Amino acid sequence: MKFSKFSLLLAIALLLSVFMVACSSGDDSGSESSGGETDGKQVLNLTNGDTIPSMDSSLAADEYGFQFLGATTEGLYRLGKDAKIVDGIATEHKVSEDALTWTFTLREDAVWSNGDPVTAHDFVYAWRRAINPDTGSEYGPYMMNGVIKNATEINSGEMPVKELGVKAKDDYTLVVSLEKPIPYFESLTTFGTFLPLNQEFVESKGDKHGTSSDTLLSNGPFKLTDWTSTATSWNLVKNEDYWDAETVSLDKITFDVVKDPQVAVDLYEKGKVDRAGLSADLVDRYASHDDYTVTPEASVFYLKFNQTTSEALANKNIRKAISRAFDKQALVDEILNNGSIVATGLIPKNFAPMPESGEDFREVSGDLVTYDPEKAKELWKKGLEEIGKEKVEIEFLAGDGETSKNMNEYLANQLETNLPGLKVTLKQVPFEQRLTLSENMEYQLQFYGWGPDYLDPYTFLNMYVTDSQYNKMGYSSKKYDELMKKTATDYVLDPVKRYNAFLEAEKLLLEDAAIAPIYQSARAELIKPYVEGVISNPFGPTYEWKWASISK
């Protein structure tokens, strides 16, 4: 999630409007107005791109919710440096020979912030709550259907929730039954949807659970204070009751909502905040700054074609022409200007190593779609002949932020210039409206993006099987569906065959021009040199602060 899935569209919208999704920095405008040690305590001052909509792990579906859930709540495992999975509430696990039963041993020294022990029953309750159709969770079904035994049937109302494949053998032994072997299941357990919940506390708060600091419990490195769902400032404070509290160096992290990159930079230069995200125009001014840092991300952005609302986009040659008709290198160099790189496929660079060889998936798969205006014209002409038209008008749905508008206009201009007879009409709307239009498939061409929810190519490729909840564009390929099914069934215990099927599926997706890759994102930031140990995750919470410290 990257950007997940959130959900990820939220992160996309914010990224394109201000290029600082959960990655800028600020202060809480109190007495602690400068970064570093304050009164002998370690205090990190940051900004956030927007408010936190919800801190209910069953309901969270956005970048910010998962970020702060990851800081305050611990699941079976968590992500450490280089996305290595490290101990959380679980200290070990065993997997049955058929890979369908996972038995987790939980530590007995973990407690909630109200003093209650964290037990296997907390995981059972949370997972059942997330899949229960009455809860209305977006991520519960997305993460569990087809993964945890009986999840699909429970979510569709065909089975009682108690039949979910998760049981507490005793207080500190959790047994999970899978629908089928899941190669990436261990990494799934680090994701926010799988965090535990204290049933008595949650039910005592009712609908108010996860809406303010007073309606939250923590069992992780930090506790969230001074927060409501409409708050524009809040704090994370060290959780002294955390089982591994001695590892946590930071005493406090302060946050203010700052949406304007220039304001964040001004605060940074005044010493009020310790990190500031840079928009494209600011990169030129600060690229030579000693504190300038570029952090690669695993999110890929692309054009999405709705084949059901446009006769032209239902034609494969027209889609292929559009895919090749815009200069991606110029876009990342001149418009984004933040370290983002050209995308020539869907799976990001440096994300998935191939089994046995260890080669990067992206390198093995190669450049599947590149800028080629002459080939684009050839395909365009052929496509127009096939639909019997000389001119085509296409509506382009995209965001209405300033950076987004610059990108939209650039893409529209490139397409109209390189594809004679094409007129692109921009429909630039606020985020919530774009979400609704996308969900209802009320668009023709759309700017879209995706970040991973777990460390496996399946998190990207599974979106485009025929019945996927994220396939909101009318794409359907029997061959593609069969390949993806094999990666989840026949090849699930054979990594080499499984990854070869992924390679074939990605190639087919791009040959069909289901999408048109644009770029893989990166974050350009100013970061104070005394800030150490902050981990940038490829999925899940954008940042991990458990091991962060102030060195000055």
PDB file of all heavy atoms in Angstrom, residues 102-103 168 207 409 413 436 548:
ATOM      1  N   TRP A 102      -0.839 -22.360   9.990  1.00  0.00           N
ATOM      2  CA  TRP A 102       0.241 -21.584  10.595  1.00  0.00           C
ATOM      3  C   TRP A 102      -0.055 -21.456  12.088  1.00  0.00           C
ATOM      4  O   TRP A 102      -1.127 -20.976  12.474  1.00  0.00           O
ATOM      5  CB  TRP A 102       0.336 -20.200   9.969  1.00  0.00           C
ATOM      6  CG  TRP A 102       0.796 -20.187   8.541  1.00  0.00           C
ATOM      7  CD1 TRP A 102       0.255 -20.863   7.476  1.00  0.00           C
ATOM      8  CD2 TRP A 102       1.900 -19.457   8.009  1.00  0.00           C
ATOM      9  NE1 TRP A 102       0.936 -20.601   6.324  1.00  0.00           N
ATOM     10  CE2 TRP A 102       1.956 -19.730   6.618  1.00  0.00           C
ATOM     11  CE3 TRP A 102       2.839 -18.592   8.563  1.00  0.00           C
ATOM     12  CZ2 TRP A 102       2.919 -19.168   5.788  1.00  0.00           C
ATOM     13  CZ3 TRP A 102       3.803 -18.024   7.742  1.00  0.00           C
ATOM     14  CH2 TRP A 102       3.844 -18.310   6.361  1.00  0.00           C
ATOM     15  N   THR A 103       0.893 -21.857  12.905  1.00  0.00           N
ATOM     16  CA  THR A 103       0.724 -21.781  14.356  1.00  0.00           C
ATOM     17  C   THR A 103       1.738 -20.789  14.921  1.00  0.00           C
ATOM     18  O   THR A 103       2.953 -20.993  14.821  1.00  0.00           O
ATOM     19  CB  THR A 103       0.922 -23.162  15.003  1.00  0.00           C
ATOM     20  OG1 THR A 103      -0.010 -24.098  14.422  1.00  0.00           O
ATOM     21  CG2 THR A 103       0.675 -23.091  16.506  1.00  0.00           C
ATOM     22  N   ALA A 168      -7.824 -19.336  18.785  1.00  0.00           N
ATOM     23  CA  ALA A 168      -6.904 -19.225  19.913  1.00  0.00           C
ATOM     24  C   ALA A 168      -6.814 -20.592  20.579  1.00  0.00           C
ATOM     25  O   ALA A 168      -7.740 -21.021  21.268  1.00  0.00           O
ATOM     26  CB  ALA A 168      -7.395 -18.174  20.899  1.00  0.00           C
ATOM     27  N   ASP A 207     -19.409   3.001  18.292  1.00  0.00           N
ATOM     28  CA  ASP A 207     -19.077   3.677  17.033  1.00  0.00           C
ATOM     29  C   ASP A 207     -17.977   4.721  17.189  1.00  0.00           C
ATOM     30  O   ASP A 207     -17.408   5.178  16.198  1.00  0.00           O
ATOM     31  CB  ASP A 207     -20.326   4.367  16.462  1.00  0.00           C
ATOM     32  CG  ASP A 207     -21.367   3.371  15.980  1.00  0.00           C
ATOM     33  OD1 ASP A 207     -20.989   2.196  15.768  1.00  0.00           O
ATOM     34  OD2 ASP A 207     -22.540   3.759  15.844  1.00  0.00           O
ATOM     35  N   GLU A 409      -2.040  18.356 -18.243  1.00  0.00           N
ATOM     36  CA  GLU A 409      -1.914  19.162 -19.461  1.00  0.00           C
ATOM     37  C   GLU A 409      -0.779  18.652 -20.339  1.00  0.00           C
ATOM     38  O   GLU A 409      -0.886  18.638 -21.572  1.00  0.00           O
ATOM     39  CB  GLU A 409      -1.712  20.624 -19.080  1.00  0.00           C
ATOM     40  CG  GLU A 409      -2.953  21.251 -18.452  1.00  0.00           C
ATOM     41  CD  GLU A 409      -2.688  22.615 -17.833  1.00  0.00           C
ATOM     42  OE1 GLU A 409      -1.522  23.070 -17.920  1.00  0.00           O
ATOM     43  OE2 GLU A 409      -3.627  23.203 -17.268  1.00  0.00           O
ATOM     44  N   ASN A 413      -1.397  17.172 -24.060  1.00  0.00           N
ATOM     45  CA  ASN A 413      -0.687  17.790 -25.180  1.00  0.00           C
ATOM     46  C   ASN A 413       0.130  16.766 -25.963  1.00  0.00           C
ATOM     47  O   ASN A 413       0.134  16.766 -27.208  1.00  0.00           O
ATOM     48  CB  ASN A 413       0.210  18.913 -24.667  1.00  0.00           C
ATOM     49  CG  ASN A 413       0.997  19.579 -25.787  1.00  0.00           C
ATOM     50  OD1 ASN A 413       2.132  19.223 -26.065  1.00  0.00           O
ATOM     51  ND2 ASN A 413       0.370  20.549 -26.441  1.00  0.00           N
ATOM     52  N   THR A 436     -15.348   8.443  -6.518  1.00  0.00           N
ATOM     53  CA  THR A 436     -16.698   7.982  -6.852  1.00  0.00           C
ATOM     54  C   THR A 436     -16.816   7.652  -8.331  1.00  0.00           C
ATOM     55  O   THR A 436     -17.378   6.610  -8.709  1.00  0.00           O
ATOM     56  CB  THR A 436     -17.735   9.051  -6.473  1.00  0.00           C
ATOM     57  OG1 THR A 436     -17.643   9.311  -5.068  1.00  0.00           O
ATOM     58  CG2 THR A 436     -19.142   8.591  -6.809  1.00  0.00           C
ATOM     59  N   ALA A 548      14.076   4.958  15.363  1.00  0.00           N
ATOM     60  CA  ALA A 548      14.553   6.312  15.058  1.00  0.00           C
ATOM     61  C   ALA A 548      15.156   6.975  16.298  1.00  0.00           C
ATOM     62  O   ALA A 548      14.807   6.644  17.441  1.00  0.00           O
ATOM     63  CB  ALA A 548      13.409   7.159  14.526  1.00  0.00           C
TER      64      ALA A 548
END
